[in-house]
Amino acid sequence: MTASMIQPVKGMNDVLPAEIARWQFLEETARDLLHAYAFDEMRVPVVEQTDLFKRAIGEYTDVVEKEMYSFEDKGGERLTLRPEATAGIVRAAISNGMLRGARHKLWCVGPMFRHEKPQKGRFRQFHQIDVEAIGFAGPDIDAELIALSNAFWQRLGINRVALQINSLGTAEARRAYRTQLTDYFRAHYDTLDEDSRRRLEGNPLRILDSKNPTMQSMIAAAPTLPDYLDAESKEHFAELRAMLDSLGIAYSVNPRLVRGLDYYSRTVFEWVTDALGAQDAVCSGGRYDGLISQLGGEATPAIGFAMGVERVVALLEQAETAPKAPQADVYLVAQGAAAVRESFRLADALRRAMPGRRVETNLGGGNFKAQFRRADRSGAELALVLGENELERGVVQMKPLREGAGEAAEISLTTAVEAVGQWFSRQE
Ligand code: ATP
Ligand code: MG
């Protein structure tokens, strides 16, 4: 009797070796670029107090209302798997006394968890690259963050993305707008779906974000936020636009862009794509000047964005700019116990001498024919062959495996590392 198979958790994916090259390309590009823009990596826990997300993201959001993985641990603490990274980074900045007027440009990458309906581009465990600038009030950092995301697409070779921006104004300006919006939606109560009716009092702005097709024309006719912006927010937004113009970054102003989370103020932006179907947001961000004090820290302006790694990987697949799956460079073929031991020693010396190259030893024995089959499959350009006879004479056979890569040669074991290095430099 065979044991029953354990199923993977719905909406949580394995990233297989065949896909990993794209993930690594994306992560390395992000790391290099964030370094170049002077952002520092930090890491925060995957689990936080449930209250953190309730207070940061807001009770009347999809995330808090229905998407959180919350549980009570053995000590009776109410905890949640993080649905996003901003709240955790802000909590960490407060917990570690990092504020006190200081400024920080931070980023992190890792898994997020939301109990959503799994579909193409929407998962229950997904990954974000999260970038936060804490302690900056002006529109210059808003422009820099957008420029950074723009440079990221350029480096990745992704061009089917477009930038939308909007300003939500200050909390006061939003309050005035909210009153108008509540009145408007109340007048259209019959058209509102159940979720929207519940949000009417708690957070009417969220209704604008609804994807329900039956509500779209009613939403399209609702009053828009830009009419309620305060003078300072208007100026902030105008300066941001001027900076984007001078950087040559194209954008459109979307007055209905309100973002799904509650904590935003002033600048919000989103990169959308037409290449992935319904899940069109690949990178979303905004300013959250009120969040830090709301979480018990001293009032500090801040702005950040998060990029959905799976969706960017899907764009990379279409752009085909990512490297192929990794292949071996050298494969060591060896037969006889002493020769196998020597081949391990040689492989180690090669790995030390040629960092970045992939050196594969033959594992599990087999005759020469079987070993050469494995060598071919490894993708290696060069096989090094070591039998009992070679070992006795202190030599190794160097066999190029690709058409036109030169002749086979016998080289001395004592100088094999140099000879292999020279062979690879001749190939370049
Ligand atoms: P959406 O409108 O697609 O639900 P969101 O507004 O909930 O996105 P954010 O919370 O701002 O998204 O997260 C930032 C980015 O993370 C999104 O732009 C998207 O690329 C990605 N993302 C969000 N939720 C998921 C998910 N369930 N699966 C995969 N990626 C996701
Ligand atoms: Mg969402």
Side-chain angles (χ1 to χ4, degrees):
M1 199 183 89
T2 51
S4 67
M5 204 168 65
I6 293 180
Q7 299 298 324
V9 178
K10 204 171 156 197
M12 306 206 178
N13 301 317
D14 305 306
V15 180
L16 301 177
E19 310 157 63
I20 207 72
R22 282 187 206 98
W23 282 71
Q24 290 175 340
F25 175 52
L26 188 158
E27 286 163 3
E28 276 156 27
T29 305
R31 195 162 271 128
D32 286 354
L33 198 60
L34 284 153
H35 175 79
Y37 275 80
F39 281 78
D40 299 318
E41 183 176 359
M42 71 179 279
R43 301 180 189 195
V44 290
V46 169
V47 178
E48 298 273 1
Q49 307 279 352
T50 299
D51 277 345
L52 172 66
F53 300 114
K54 284 196 179 161
R55 272 166 69 183
I57 300 171
E59 302 261 4
Y60 294 93
T61 56
D62 281 349
V63 172
V64 172
E65 273 183 342
K66 44 192 183 194
E67 296 173 0
M68 294 212 296
Y69 277 90
S70 300
F71 60 97
E72 203 170 288
D73 77 355
K74 292 199 165 62
E77 287 204 82
R78 303 195 54 78
L79 307 177
T80 294
L81 298 186
R82 63 180 182 196
E84 54 110 59
T86 306
I89 288 197
V90 167
R91 195 271 312 135
I94 299 171
S95 312
N96 294 287
M98 289 165 67
L99 299 174
R100 307 198 175 110
R103 315 199 297 178
H104 300 280
K105 290 162 76 176
L106 307 167
W107 71 277
C108 73
V109 56
M112 308 295 156
F113 303 84
R114 296 184 192 178
H115 197 270
E116 303 201 60
K117 193 163 157 258
Q119 52 199 285
K120 185 170 173 265
R122 189 173 294 286
F123 311 107
R124 290 183 172 175
Q125 174 174 327
F126 61 99
H127 296 74
Q128 286 183 341
I129 292 174
D130 184 72
V131 180
E132 310 289 349
I134 296 176
F136 300 84
D140 47 2
I141 186 72
D142 304 17
E144 187 171 77
L145 279 182
I146 290 173
L148 162 64
S149 51
N150 186 58
F152 190 60
W153 311 130
Q154 283 174 354
R155 285 208 192 179
L156 292 178
I158 288 174
N159 43 35
R160 281 178 71 176
V161 287
L163 173 64
Q164 300 188 348
I165 60 173
N166 191 23
S167 176
L168 302 180
T170 57
E172 299 82 70
R174 264 212 283 177
R175 219 167 289 134
Y177 173 58
R178 209 171 132 145
T179 311
Q180 293 304 308
L181 205 58
T182 311
D183 290 347
Y184 174 83
F185 286 136
R186 224 180 259 129
H188 293 83
Y189 196 81
D190 289 347
T191 322
L192 296 179
D193 60 17
E194 202 185 310
D195 276 349
S196 303
R197 285 178 184 177
R198 197 178 51 244
R199 285 178 183 145
L200 188 55
E201 304 306 327
N203 187 357
L205 261 73
R206 289 283 296 120
I207 301 176
L208 294 175
D209 216 25
S210 162
K211 282 163 189 141
N212 187 342
T214 64
M215 289 169 43
Q216 292 311 309
S217 59
M218 184 273 293
I219 288 174
T224 67
L225 218 161
D227 301 334
Y228 296 84
L229 277 196
D230 52 292
E232 263 182 68
S233 295
K234 269 188 188 151
E235 195 183 321
H236 186 108
F237 196 50
E239 276 176 45
L240 167 63
R241 293 182 60 171
M243 287 189 82
L244 293 179
D245 291 339
S246 85
L247 288 167
I249 297 173
Y251 59 85
S252 55
V253 176
N254 175 358
R256 279 170 216 294
L257 182 65
V258 293
R259 307 284 301 103
L261 316 181
D262 261 4
Y263 50 58
Y264 290 107
S265 57
R266 292 205 169 144
T267 309
V268 289
F269 64 96
E270 191 153 275
W271 286 93
V272 294
T273 179
D274 62 357
L276 297 179
Q279 274 30 271
D280 64 351
V282 290
C283 173
S284 328
R287 183 163 274 290
Y288 51 91
D289 293 342
L291 178 64
I292 297 178
S293 59
Q294 196 181 308
L295 291 177
E298 62 207 83
T300 308
I303 177 168
F305 70 75
M307 194 170 275
V309 174
E310 281 81 357
R311 293 183 193 177
V312 180
V313 167
L315 287 178
L316 272 181
E317 238 164 86
Q318 299 185 357
E320 286 192 10
T321 30
K324 301 270 174 291
Q327 300 212 308
D329 294 299
V330 180
Y331 194 97
L332 286 101
V333 169
Q335 213 171 36
V340 167
R341 283 195 294 272
E342 184 58 25
S343 77
F344 265 57
R345 201 198 52 76
L346 177 56
D348 246 11
L350 286 167
R351 292 180 189 120
R352 263 198 310 275
M354 309 188 302
R357 294 245 180 241
R358 185 143 144 153
V359 179
E360 205 172 338
T361 52
N362 181 73
L363 299 172
N367 60 26
F368 278 124
K369 196 170 158 211
Q371 294 197 31
F372 269 105
R373 236 189 341 258
R374 290 193 195 125
D376 268 339
R377 241 180 281 142
S378 77
E381 292 179 44
L382 200 61
L384 296 178
V385 188
L386 202 60
E388 273 157 12
N389 171 290
E390 279 81 10
L391 192 60
E392 251 164 53
R393 294 189 294 122
V395 297
V396 55
Q397 309 290 340
M398 192 166 80
K399 286 207 165 132
L401 295 174
R402 305 253 173 96
E403 202 89 18
E407 299 295 302
E410 186 170 283
I411 54 176
S412 160
L413 250 178
T414 50
T415 54
V417 171
E418 290 78 11
V420 170
Q422 281 160 13
W423 187 87
F424 274 105
S425 32
R426 278 203 303 277
Q427 304 303 306
E428 275 155 15

